[in-house]
Amino acid sequence: MITEEKKQWAIRQLHDKFHELGRLPKKDDFDESTRSRIKAFLGPWHRGLEAAGLRKVSESERENCKKI
């Protein structure tokens, strides 16, 4: 089970990297271990960025989710 503490750790990693780089962090901006943990705690990369409030869900993505 993924705890809230683990999710918050992953979100902090994304926020810290965002502030360090001045742009959305990419997977390649993290070492393999950190990247794997972020994805394990938050899901696919784009969902992790959304969870961290760094990426908005586009209208087309929202519509695609409704169809499933």
Side-chain angles (χ1 to χ4, degrees):
M1 184 165 133
I2 299 171
T3 64
E4 188 63 28
E5 183 177 316
K6 290 178 180 179
K7 289 180 184 179
Q8 290 304 313
W9 173 88
I11 288 170
R12 275 195 312 277
Q13 297 303 305
L14 291 170
H15 273 267
D16 289 349
K17 191 62 75 171
F18 172 77
H19 291 293
E20 176 187 327
L21 299 173
R23 61 168 171 78
L24 286 178
K26 299 176 185 177
K27 293 182 230 178
D28 291 340
D29 294 325
F30 296 90
D31 61 64
E32 186 175 341
S33 174
T34 302
R35 180 176 55 242
S36 294
R37 290 177 67 198
I38 290 170
K39 290 173 71 175
F41 301 156
L42 299 178
W45 197 254
H46 65 282
R47 296 284 185 235
L49 294 175
E50 291 167 8
L54 298 176
R55 179 182 180 274
K56 293 184 179 182
V57 179
S58 72
E59 189 62 36
S60 63
E61 287 175 314
R62 193 172 290 122
E63 288 299 318
N64 286 338
C65 289
K66 289 179 184 177
K67 294 177 184 176
I68 296 176

